[in-house]
Amino acid sequence: LIADRPDGFGLSMDQYINDLEDSPSSWWQDYMQQYFGMVSCIDDNVGKLMQMLKEKGADDNTIVVFTSDHGEMGMEHGKIEKGSPFETSAKIPLLVRYPAAIPKGKIIETAYSSVDFAPTILDLMGVSFETAGLNSHFEGVKASGDILSDDLNPADDDKIIFSVDYVKGKWASAMMRGYKYIIGRFDAPWLFDLNLDPDEIVNYADSHSHQVIKNKLQTALVEAIMNNLIYYDIGLDVYLDSPQCLDSRDILPLEDGRRKICKDIGNTVSVDICLEDNIF
C-alpha cells in the first residue's frame, strides 16, 4: 500500500509535499491548476445542463446522475492520479437528482459500488430487465430501495464491497461503512477506521478493539477471491495478517547493500534475527 511512498528520498512526507508546493517551477503547480480547471469546466457545464432542463420544464421529472469512474489523489499521501485504495482515489461521487421521487436531503451511508449503477438506474427508470431483453442477473445490487425510501439516512452496516488493482495487481480491498481492509504486495495488511481516522494515516490491523471488524472484512475478501467474485492472486509477498518479521523502524543494513526488516530486534543488532525470506 505505501511501499512506493517517496519516503525513501530521505525527506519526511510533509517536507516532500512542502517542497513541491513551494517551488515556483514545480510541475505540481501546473498539474493542480489543470486539474481544478477541469473541475471548474465540469461544474459550469453541469450548470448549463440543469438550466436547460429547468427552461424546458423537465427538471423535476428527469433523473440526473453525477458520478465518475475514479478520483484523484491530488498529492495526498504523496501520490497523484488514480490506482490507489485511498478514499481520494477509490471513493467516487454518486449524486442522483430526481425531485419527483427522491426525498430532499437524502444521504445514503450504505457502501455501494460502481457495479450497482446499472441495476439501480434501470430500476429507477422503471425498466424491466426481461422486457428490455436484458439478462436479469447483475453482479451489482439495486440501490433504488434506499434512494426512494422515506428514510433520509439509510445505512446498512453489514454490506461489504470490494475493489482491486486489476492493472498492476498491487492491492485488493474490502470495504464497509466506516472501515476498509487492504492487502497488498510487499506490505503488511492495513485496516482503516474512517470514523476515527478519515485521513487514512493509522493502521488499525493490529488494534485489539478492531479485530472483529478486521476478521469480518478479511473473511469476506478471501471468500470473494476464492469464489472468483473478484480476481486477485494471493501468492508470494501477500500477507493477510501482519507478519512476525516486519517493522519499518528496525532496518538492518548488510555489507552487500541489502536490507533486512525485523520486529523486536532488541538491543543487539544481528542479521541472524531475520529469516532469509525477509530479505529485500
Side-chain angles (χ1 to χ4, degrees):
L1 176 63
I2 60 170
D4 57 346
R5 278 186 173 183
D7 303 61
F9 295 135
L11 298 173
S12 69
M13 183 61 68
D14 288 341
Q15 184 62 48
Y16 176 82
I17 294 175
N18 286 338
D19 287 349
L20 283 175
E21 292 179 339
D22 294 340
S23 174
S25 60
S26 175
W27 60 268
W28 166 249
Q29 301 297 328
D30 289 337
Y31 182 89
M32 291 308 295
Q33 288 177 12
Q34 293 169 11
Y35 179 77
F36 286 122
M38 289 188 288
V39 171
S40 179
C41 178
I42 292 173
D43 187 58
D44 290 344
N45 283 282
V46 169
K48 293 176 183 178
L49 175 63
M50 299 306 299
Q51 181 62 33
M52 182 274 294
L53 290 173
K54 184 175 182 180
E55 292 173 355
K56 298 292 185 181
D59 55 328
D60 285 342
N61 199 36
T62 298
I63 301 174
V64 178
V65 180
F66 184 90
T67 188
S68 178
D69 58 339
H70 61 81
E72 161 61 47
M73 286 303 296
M75 212 57 200
E76 288 193 15
H77 300 274
K79 298 177 181 290
I80 61 171
E81 299 180 345
K82 57 181 180 178
S84 167
F86 289 114
E87 290 285 275
T88 316
S89 170
K91 185 177 181 179
I92 61 174
L94 180 55
L95 308 179
V96 183
R97 185 183 187 276
Y98 189 16
I102 301 177
K104 185 177 181 180
K106 176 182 286 287
I107 299 177
I108 299 174
E109 301 288 350
T110 304
Y112 282 103
S113 177
S114 55
V115 296
D116 303 324
F117 180 84
T120 298
I121 298 303
L122 289 173
D123 196 50
L124 284 178
M125 295 169 61
V127 175
S128 170
F129 304 152
E130 291 77 11
T131 302
L134 301 173
N135 189 331
S136 60
H137 174 71
F138 282 90
E139 292 186 3
V141 300
K142 301 176 184 176
S144 45
D146 278 347
I147 293 175
L148 299 175
S149 72
D150 293 330
D151 185 357
L152 293 182
N153 296 106
D156 182 353
D157 291 335
D158 294 322
K159 187 175 187 297
I160 297 175
I161 61 175
F162 307 100
S163 184
V164 182
D165 174 17
Y166 283 117
V167 177
K168 298 181 180 179
K170 294 175 64 175
W171 54 268
S173 65
M175 294 158 281
M176 59 190 295
R177 184 191 180 198
Y179 301 96
K180 184 188 304 180
Y181 170 78
I182 306 162
I183 59 174
R185 305 204 179 284
F186 313 109
D187 197 8
W190 281 70
L191 177 69
F192 289 126
D193 184 335
L194 301 176
N195 305 293
L196 300 177
D197 177 37
D199 294 325
E200 299 176 292
I201 302 296
V202 181
N203 186 0
Y204 290 91
D206 294 329
S207 166
H208 178 74
S209 60
H210 287 77
Q211 291 309 296
V212 173
I213 293 293
K214 189 196 81 170
N215 292 337
K216 181 176 182 177
L217 291 173
Q218 182 188 79
T219 299
L221 181 59
V222 171
E223 289 180 351
I225 294 172
M226 299 306 293
N227 294 327
N228 294 317
L229 180 61
I230 59 175
Y231 176 76
Y232 188 73
D233 182 15
I234 304 181
L236 186 65
D237 299 319
V238 175
Y239 299 101
L240 294 176
D241 290 295
S242 298
Q244 290 298 311
C245 190
L246 181 66
D247 189 339
S248 60
R249 292 171 298 180
D250 301 325
I251 300 179
L252 305 181
L254 302 184
E255 291 182 357
D256 60 4
R258 294 176 300 166
R259 293 185 299 167
K260 288 176 179 282
I261 294 182
C262 291
K263 186 172 185 179
D264 300 326
I265 62 174
N267 296 323
T268 302
V269 177
S270 171
V271 298
D272 296 332
I273 298 176
C274 292
L275 299 177
E276 191 66 16
D277 60 1
N278 285 292
I279 296 175
F280 72 96

